[in-house]
Amino acid sequence: MKPASFRNTIFSILLGTLTPNLLHADSPLLGRIIAIDPGHGTLDFQGHIINSGKSTSNSRFSEHYITYQIAQKLGKLIENAGGQVVYTRNAQDYWRFGSSTTEDNKSRALLANVLKADAYISIHCDWNPKRKMRGVTTYYKTEQSRKLAENVQKKLVGNLKAFNRKTKKDSYTVLDVATMPAILVESGFLSNPSEAKKLITANYQKKVAEAIHQGLSNTFANEVGYH
């Protein structure tokens, strides 16, 4: 074996033995538990869909599918940055079961509470009878969630070149119950043909995930309350 090849081999072995903590030592997400909620996707106990969300105008793509795809992409980014991810829906349990939409949403946030998540992110797609309505919105309820909402919204608008519907303080079931900083992201309007066309693509879903990840990372890096 040539000296250069030997050195490269040793370097590869040493790199492989480094712990995740060392590899992500400068990551603000290192060791953080992030609960990701792909909105909708609920069945009642008889197996009927009770919370599928909205659909594109041709009904080919439902909100529960799009939010799941974005959530998976976001989760990988967080894990690559040294964070731990908890999903409220995954490949093994894609469909949740609940007696009602409200009770199911509560249980999603309660899961994050029990697991002591450091942040909770619920991903959705917006909808309005007026097809011209467009843009992204990030909702929050508590003051401890405000900065996270602002950071994520800023990245969504900048990265996606989307219309800024701003952050809004409002009451949603998941935000009511969550005890950690929690936001609900409306990633675009499925009722708007132009935005719907983007939201169904893997590339745009990745951009949404990247924006949320960047906003999340910036929040942990800059806010004293997160340390």
Side-chain angles (χ1 to χ4, degrees):
M1 181 181 291
K2 295 181 179 180
S5 298
F6 178 76
R7 286 196 300 271
N8 290 339
T9 301
I10 293 299
F11 178 75
S12 297
I13 293 173
L14 289 174
L15 183 61
T17 60
L18 290 175
T19 65
N21 283 2
L22 290 176
L23 291 173
H24 303 288
D26 60 345
S27 170
L29 295 181
L30 177 63
R32 300 292 186 175
I33 301 174
I34 310 300
I36 302 178
D37 173 36
H40 302 281
T42 313
L43 307 177
D44 64 18
F45 294 113
Q46 285 72 48
H48 303 122
I49 298 175
I50 59 173
N51 189 20
S52 64
K54 297 295 184 178
S55 300
T56 54
S57 58
N58 59 12
S59 298
R60 289 184 59 195
F61 296 91
S62 295
E63 185 176 359
H64 66 80
Y65 171 80
I66 296 171
T67 61
Y68 179 80
Q69 295 302 317
I70 294 172
Q72 289 295 304
K73 293 173 174 61
L74 173 60
K76 290 178 181 177
L77 291 171
I78 293 172
E79 289 174 342
N80 288 341
Q84 300 177 49
V85 176
V86 176
Y87 297 98
T88 62
R89 293 196 289 131
N90 55 41
Q92 290 70 40
D93 297 297
Y94 182 91
W95 293 102
R96 293 178 56 87
F97 286 88
S99 57
S100 69
T101 298
T102 299
E103 290 305 313
D104 177 49
N105 284 337
K106 285 182 180 179
S107 68
R108 297 182 193 219
L110 288 173
L111 172 64
N113 293 347
V114 170
L115 295 175
K116 300 186 184 303
D118 294 292
Y120 183 98
I121 299 172
S122 187
I123 301 171
H124 291 255
C125 299
D126 224 330
W127 196 91
N128 193 285
K130 298 178 181 179
R131 298 178 71 189
K132 290 184 178 181
M133 291 286 283
R134 61 191 175 90
V136 293
T137 314
T138 304
Y139 290 92
Y140 70 98
K141 182 181 180 183
T142 65
E143 186 60 25
Q144 70 168 340
S145 304
R146 181 178 62 83
K147 184 55 67 174
L148 174 59
E150 291 174 348
N151 286 338
V152 168
Q153 180 70 8
K154 180 179 179 180
K155 288 298 181 180
L156 286 168
V157 172
N159 292 14
L160 303 177
K161 310 300 180 188
F163 179 73
N164 186 5
R165 302 189 67 82
K166 303 182 180 180
T167 60
K168 297 180 181 179
K169 186 175 183 179
D170 209 335
S171 177
Y172 285 88
T173 309
V174 292
L175 303 184
D176 290 344
V177 178
T179 57
M180 71 292 298
I183 60 173
L184 188 153
V185 176
E186 295 284 7
S187 55
F189 281 78
L190 287 180
S191 51
N192 181 294
S194 178
E195 289 194 342
K197 188 176 181 179
K198 295 176 183 178
L199 283 164
I200 64 176
T201 67
N203 184 55
Y204 198 77
Q205 292 164 5
K206 182 180 178 182
K207 288 182 178 180
V208 173
E210 289 172 341
I212 297 173
H213 172 251
Q214 290 169 13
L216 180 67
S217 296
N218 289 348
T219 304
F220 278 107
N222 299 323
E223 291 301 304
V224 175
Y226 282 81
H227 293 286

